[in-house]
Amino acid sequence: MLTRDAQNFDEHGRRHQYRVNVLGERVLRVCEHVQHNPDAPCNEAQGAVATVLAPDALPQHLLELAIRATASVGLPLGGVDLVPERGGVVFEVNVHPVLDVPQGFETVTVPFVLAHLTGTANPISPRHESLRPHR
């Protein structure tokens, strides 16, 4: 019942969501998850098929939603699980996004390490107050 309550079904009746890895104001990686079993969670460990997409494959409002969701919990780096259906819904913001995934090293790990080495580990710019967490 919980799985179906999420209402993250595509037009073919499959479960559907994205994992969007965010660093500050930047989307680093987008992975689409499709689960053919409507009663199973939409993650790879439960049999979902994962496809890495270019970040610009998502509409801008979903990218901004992922950035705001990460900032709202005070994280510089996060893995946001979101659903595009119904205009965009955030399911979860993961503090430890998985790094050992296809293209994870070059798209997530390297930018994260570089941000720490260059002193921009929390690269949320002061000019974007709307992206800062509310206190």
Side-chain angles (χ1 to χ4, degrees):
M1 287 179 9
L2 287 174
T3 304
R4 288 184 181 267
D5 283 348
Q7 299 180 15
N8 59 330
F9 295 101
D10 67 10
E11 65 276 3
H12 304 290
R14 304 170 303 187
R15 292 192 141 325
H16 180 240
Q17 70 186 49
Y18 296 103
R19 164 63 64 90
V20 181
N21 287 353
V22 172
L23 178 63
E25 297 174 2
R26 240 180 353 152
V27 171
L28 301 176
R29 180 178 186 273
V30 173
C31 187
E32 181 177 38
H33 292 160
V34 177
Q35 172 62 270
H36 293 278
N37 178 353
D39 295 317
C42 196
N43 61 50
E44 294 173 70
Q46 297 293 320
V49 176
T51 305
V52 177
L53 304 174
D56 63 3
L58 289 186
Q60 187 63 34
H61 78 279
L62 291 179
L63 299 175
E64 291 169 4
L65 178 61
I67 291 167
R68 286 193 316 273
T70 304
S72 75
V73 294
L75 295 174
L77 175 71
V80 180
D81 293 337
L82 64 85
V83 175
E85 288 75 22
R86 297 180 290 130
V89 177
V90 174
F91 278 0
E92 180 179 17
V93 178
N94 297 276
V95 68
H96 296 291
V98 179
L99 304 175
D100 64 342
V101 291
Q103 300 175 13
F105 182 77
E106 60 272 21
T107 61
V108 181
T109 305
V110 170
F112 180 64
V113 170
L114 285 174
H116 276 279
L117 292 174
T118 61
T120 59
N122 192 2
I124 296 175
S125 165
R127 71 181 188 284
H128 292 289
E129 285 299 317
S130 66
L131 299 178
R132 292 190 167 282
H134 296 283
R135 299 188 201 263

